[in-house]
Every structure is written in structure tokens, then in C-alpha cells.
Amino acid sequence: MSQAGLGFLGRLLLFTREDVQDAVRDRQAHVLVGMFALLGAGLAYAAGRTARRTSAQVDIELVSQLLAPVTLLIPLVALGVVAPALVEKRSTGSLTVLLGLPFSRQTVVLGTLLGRSIVIAMSALAALLVAAPIALVMGVSIDGTLFAGSLLAFFVLTITFTAIAVAISVVTKTSTRASFAAFSAYVVFVFQLWTVLPQILLYVVSGFTLPETSPPWVDFVVALNPMTAFTNFAGGLVPAFENIPFHAVPDNPAVYERPLFAFVILLGWIGGPLCFGYLRFRKTDL
Amino acid sequence: MVAIEFSGVSKRYKRRGIIRSNSVTALRNVDLTVEEGEVFGFLGPNGAGKSTAIDIMLDYVQPTSGSVRVLGHDVQTDSVSVRERTGVLPDGYGPIGERTGREHVEFAIESKNATDDPEELLERVNMLGPDAYPVDQYSKGMAQRLMLAMALAGEPDLLVLDEPSTGLDPNGARTMRRIVREERDRGATVFFSSHILEQVEAVCDRVAILDAGQLVTVDSIDHLRETVGGMARVTLELSQVPADALDRLSSIDGVAELETNGTTIEVACENRAKAPVIAACHDSPATVSNVSTTDPSLDELFATVTEGVA
């Protein structure tokens, strides 16, 4: 009996579902949800304490308190958890088994992106869901639009950094290198080491001196950092995102600093690494 | 119909270094055709390139040149179609996450969009019972049985088994042979590699012998045995070797070679000369303490073709 195959979408959904189940089986999902929930609960409690102390004079809003910590935690978790994922699968041999079943390498890359993004996004959601009732009990207000907008922004951030992590995972050969690459990516993107890069380039091209005024391309390169693009994008969506550490949204944004353009940059950070990773992975010997 | 077709497949593994690079050629211009419905054995010593050939067939590894078609599909451009109809027991596999044995089999069935009963597949490989434990706690032999159950999911048209008897106890090896025969009777093609000749001899219709990346022989088992020349070997242990014994033995029709070390005589001869050889020794003044005979074996052929000793 020969049966028809599942089709591309069917296989992708099956792979994604199994990837999520794997995260649940090895307790990774529990740890992540617990971590975010704890963060949400802690921040909500702290906001509640402040609200009580200041009583009715100032309105303390929950989501704006949560934004910065969650925004810094998502890239950390995505890079830390996802970057070793495929490297480990390759070295333990589970990739050999998966690729012996009718899954293409494309499905493996996309399915890992979707599966891990779902787990991390659910964890971020857990932070908000745990924080909300605590906030309500302790008299902290919750802005509904802010809540929904930040949730959407968190999902975009999760997918962006998971895509970067998946790319690291398919192009590196050992988990040591993958972890190192992930850590470097975090420092460069989140701690803004990125802004130094165009400065160095400028220094070199201007004959090892720094000109008094920076040419416009320097600012453009700075805006290409996925974290900068994210704050530019999310700051347009939800103004409260302007207060993320290391990433201030400019007062007079240039075209490439506007939310729509920033969103396109983010799409580039999702598609670019994925394509690069897949093209390398397609030709790699297991 | 052709099930597997290698055309001019070569593989060089490269290692790039800053100062110098080196490369190892694992396969050299291999052409091979396996017909549908065959049980095909792929033989060779360790490091001959068997796993590399299988890895190329399964698209785990890219060939440096040449192409492979499996079940009518190019393995590089259409590997998913190949794997939908192929059951694979690869080399160097590992558990997928922390799944149990049964969950592995269920996953395999679902990925092939098949309707098999996991219970039945586990039963065929004698893994009912341990199927409830996580696979990362399995022994090598148990994992090997489980992988076979996964390979059988969806009644594949082709089974590719890389060293299937590794880690199996004698019962497991017997089960493996039984399943290979059952699958062939169902109409499937079976391609498996091994360095153990008995395994191959017991189930294969045809074999290919690979050595140092090159195909040395592709032939049927029966024809190979004829090629070996139908030489039997008789070993006699005597109290002492009488002086004239060697002359008398060599005069027997069908005796090809004699070797002695004082108390034992080894005779290479045709089958019909076995009894006269033993009788001649028995009639001599010396006492015969032990006699053993062996049939012409593929082991010798294997040794001959892979070591280049004629």
C-alpha cells in the first residue's frame, strides 16, 4: 500500500508540533514559562508596592513597567536556547533520524523557527498573564491597547531573534561555537556594540581620523541593528517602547527610522539569516 | 524497474586548513544498479566507503560528482519523494528528544502519512515492553530494533539498512534476517551494508563488494561461490605426519594444495576429493585425532578481492 504524502504544509506543521512537544518533554518549555512568569509576577508586585506608596497621586501602569525587562530577556532566551538546538540534534544523531523520515532540510529550518518561536512567545505571554491579576489586585492599572500592542511587538521580537539563532545553529558545527556566536550576537545587537562598527569603518575610510560630522550612512547602519529597528518599530506602535535601555527612539526619525521601514528591516533580519542558514545547510554533510 | 542507480559517484572529504588542506577520497566513480524486488548486499571492510555511499543515497552527504536516482527520483533535488517511499536504518542515529520508543514509531508512521499500528511494528521487532521507556536509555541493540521498526513504517518500497546487525544478539540478528525476507516477499527492495559475510550470504540475492572507495565486484551469491572455485578445505590432526603421506595425498585426483606443520595437514581440494583424502590418512600408520572440513567460503573471496591477493 502506497499512500499519498503529507504535502509541504502538512510536514511543516507536523515537524513544528513535534518540536514544541520536544520542548515540553525535556522541560525546556516549563523552565522558560516559569522564568517569564516569575519575572512578570515580580515586576507586577514591585509596581503594586510603588502604587501603594505613592497612592493616588501618580497612576502606575503595569505594561510599561514590563516592557524593558521582557524586551531584554526575549533575545537572551531566543539566542541562548535556540542557537544550540540544531547543533545538538546534529551531534546526537537525531537529525539523521529526522532526515531519514520525509522531512526536507527546509522543513527542519522553518519548523525549528516556528516551534521555538511558539515556545518563547508563549513564555512572554505567560509573563503578561501572570502579571495582570497581581497588578489588578494591588491597584496597578492596565492599559488594554498597550497590553495588546506590546504582545504583538514581543511576538515580532521573538521571531526575529529566533531566526538569527536558528541561522547560528545551522551554520556552526559544535555547540561551543554556537553558544559563543549566540553570546556575541547578544552583545553586538542588544548592548549596542553594533553602533561602534560604522564608527570603526568611518575611521578607516577617512584615513584613520574621525571627521567632525558623521556622514548620513553611519546613522543608517546604526538603524539596521535589529534591536534598534525593533524599538523604532515598536515605539511607533506603542510609545512606551521608547524607554528601552540602550535604544532610544530619535525625536526626528529619518525615513529608515520610521516604524514601517524598521518593520522591513526586521523582516530582513528574519528572512536574511534564514535564507543564508538554509543555503549553507542544504549543502552541508551531516 | 530500477530501484537504485549510482552513476559515476565520487566523494572527496575536504578539510581546509590555513597552512595546508587535505582531502580523503571516500568513493571513486561508483556505478551501481539495483533492481526492484532484490535483496542487495553491500559489502566491504571498515572504511571502504559503504556508509558514504548510503549517506549520498539518503542525501545526508553531497557527492563531489555524479548522481544517484532512487525509485525514479534524483536524491539531491527530490529527496523528500524518495524518503516517503523508503525506510531507513541509518548509521550514527540518535533519539529525537526525550521520546519513548513508541512515540518514535508513532512519529515515523505519522510522518509517512501511513496507517500502521505501532503495536504491530513493535511486535515484529520484539520491542513490546521497552517501548514505554525513553529511547536515550536504550542499549545499542534495543535502539537498533526500534530503528528497524521505524524503517518499516508505511510499507516502504525500499529499505536501506546501514549495518543492520550492529549490536544485535543472535536472536535479534535472526529476527532481522526474517524481516528482510518478509519485506522482500511483500515486494520491497532491500539494500543493506555489512562487513559480516554470513549476514549477507543468508539473505542476499546479489552483492557488491566495495574496497577503498571502488566497486570491486557486483555479482550474485551463487555465481560468486563458483568464482571462488568450489574449493573445500580439509584439516586433519594426526599423531605424526608419515613421510609418504604428502605424496600419497597429492596423487589423489582433485587435490590442489597441501600444507603441513608436522602434526596437521591442510588440504585444499575439490569437494569430491574430501572422502579419499580422509580415507588415505586413516589408512596410514599415524592415528587421526581430529578431522574438520569447510566449504568454499565467501570469506576467502572477500579476503582475496579486498586485499588484492590472488
Side-chain angles (χ1 to χ4, degrees), chain A residues 108-119:
Chain A
V108 170
V109 171
L110 284 178
T112 307
L113 170 74
L114 290 178
R116 303 290 155 139
S117 295
I118 290 171
V119 171

Side-chain angles (χ1 to χ4, degrees), chain B residues 29-162:
Chain B
N29 206 18
V30 170
D31 289 299
L32 180 66
T33 307
V34 177
E35 297 291 327
E36 260 178 28
E38 264 191 304
V39 178
F40 195 92
F42 202 45
L43 276 169
N46 300 131
K50 302 186 295 290
S51 286
T52 300
I54 288 181
D55 286 351
I56 290 174
M57 233 167 87
L58 299 172
D59 196 36
Y60 291 155
V61 162
Q62 306 266 320
T64 311
S65 63
S67 67
V68 181
R69 292 183 75 80
V70 174
L71 302 169
H73 300 281
D74 186 283
V75 295
Q76 277 181 275
T77 56
D78 212 358
S79 78
V80 172
S81 311
V82 170
R83 284 175 283 137
E84 274 183 332
R85 296 167 58 201
T86 305
V88 180
L89 195 171
D91 184 35
Y93 54 79
I96 309 169
E98 295 184 6
R99 273 155 223 275
T100 64
R102 178 175 295 255
E103 283 163 342
H104 272 80
V105 174
E106 284 167 351
F107 186 21
I109 293 170
E110 203 172 341
S111 74
K112 293 198 170 173
N113 205 15
T115 49
D116 297 82
D117 179 7
E119 193 90 3
E120 223 171 89
L121 288 177
L122 289 162
E123 162 112 62
R124 277 182 82 184
V125 296
N126 279 326
M127 280 293 287
L128 279 179
D131 68 296
Y133 300 109
V135 174
D136 51 13
Q137 294 171 12
Y138 280 15
S139 71
K140 175 74 185 164
M142 288 161 78
Q144 195 79 2
R145 286 165 188 252
L146 182 79
M147 287 305 300
L148 181 64
M150 287 176 76
L152 294 174
E155 302 201 334
D157 297 334
L158 170 68
L159 272 173
V160 179
L161 315 173
D162 196 350

Side-chain angles (χ1 to χ4, degrees), chain A residues 42-63:
Chain A
L43 289 168
Y45 180 76
R49 291 295 295 258
T50 323
R52 282 196 184 158
R53 231 181 302 127
T54 53
S55 66
Q57 296 137 18
V58 201
D59 183 35
I60 304 279
E61 202 282 327
L62 172 72
V63 184

Side-chain angles (χ1 to χ4, degrees), chain B:
Chain B
M1 270 286 281
V2 175
I4 304 169
E5 193 177 10
F6 281 75
S7 351
V9 176
S10 297
K11 175 67 184 178
R12 289 165 73 80
Y13 286 105
K14 289 198 191 82
R15 196 187 162 80
R16 284 201 188 83
I18 295 167
I19 297 166
R20 67 195 181 106
S21 308
N22 50 17
S23 68
V24 175
T25 304
L27 284 181
R28 225 181 284 261
N29 206 18
V30 170
D31 289 299
L32 180 66
T33 307
V34 177
E35 297 291 327
E36 260 178 28
E38 264 191 304
V39 178
F40 195 92
F42 202 45
L43 276 169
N46 300 131
K50 302 186 295 290
S51 286
T52 300
I54 288 181
D55 286 351
I56 290 174
M57 233 167 87
L58 299 172
D59 196 36
Y60 291 155
V61 162
Q62 306 266 320
T64 311
S65 63
S67 67
V68 181
R69 292 183 75 80
V70 174
L71 302 169
H73 300 281
D74 186 283
V75 295
Q76 277 181 275
T77 56
D78 212 358
S79 78
V80 172
S81 311
V82 170
R83 284 175 283 137
E84 274 183 332
R85 296 167 58 201
T86 305
V88 180
L89 195 171
D91 184 35
Y93 54 79
I96 309 169
E98 295 184 6
R99 273 155 223 275
T100 64
R102 178 175 295 255
E103 283 163 342
H104 272 80
V105 174
E106 284 167 351
F107 186 21
I109 293 170
E110 203 172 341
S111 74
K112 293 198 170 173
N113 205 15
T115 49
D116 297 82
D117 179 7
E119 193 90 3
E120 223 171 89
L121 288 177
L122 289 162
E123 162 112 62
R124 277 182 82 184
V125 296
N126 279 326
M127 280 293 287
L128 279 179
D131 68 296
Y133 300 109
V135 174
D136 51 13
Q137 294 171 12
Y138 280 15
S139 71
K140 175 74 185 164
M142 288 161 78
Q144 195 79 2
R145 286 165 188 252
L146 182 79
M147 287 305 300
L148 181 64
M150 287 176 76
L152 294 174
E155 302 201 334
D157 297 334
L158 170 68
L159 272 173
V160 179
L161 315 173
D162 196 350
E163 303 273 2
S165 49
T166 314
L168 291 179
D169 58 26
N171 284 333
R174 209 162 27 241
T175 308
M176 173 74 66
R177 287 199 293 273
R178 195 195 70 226
I179 288 174
V180 167
R181 286 196 201 99
E182 285 168 1
E183 290 297 298
R184 182 205 42 209
D185 294 345
R186 182 175 62 75
T189 312
V190 183
F191 182 95
F192 76 90
S193 75
S194 181
H195 59 270
I196 305 164
L197 273 149
E198 293 157 334
Q199 295 287 340
V200 174
E201 223 176 329
V203 290
C204 285
D205 302 318
R206 285 204 305 153
V207 295
I209 298 180
L210 192 71
D211 187 35
Q214 278 177 307
L215 267 189
V216 185
T217 323
V218 183
D219 214 336
S220 71
I221 290 280
D222 293 338
H223 194 246
L224 273 182
R225 208 177 265 125
E226 278 171 37
T227 323
V228 188
M231 280 294 155
R233 222 165 247 286
V234 182
T235 309
L236 298 120
E237 284 174 32
L238 302 115
S239 52
Q240 97 259 4
V241 177
D244 62 336
L246 294 181
D247 289 338
R248 280 173 53 199
L249 288 177
S250 59
S251 67
I252 295 170
D253 193 24
V255 170
E257 251 181 70
L258 281 171
E259 250 178 72
T260 179
N261 68 355
T263 56
T264 58
I265 306 178
E266 272 198 37
V267 185
C269 60
E270 285 173 30
N271 263 328
R272 63 192 164 91
K274 275 192 209 161
V277 165
I278 295 166
C281 289
H282 189 67
D283 291 343
S284 77
T287 318
V288 180
S289 59
N290 197 10
V291 178
S292 64
T293 66
T294 52
D295 284 329
S297 109
L298 282 178
D299 272 315
E300 286 167 36
L301 176 86
F302 189 65
T304 311
V305 297
T306 58
E307 282 161 22
V309 188

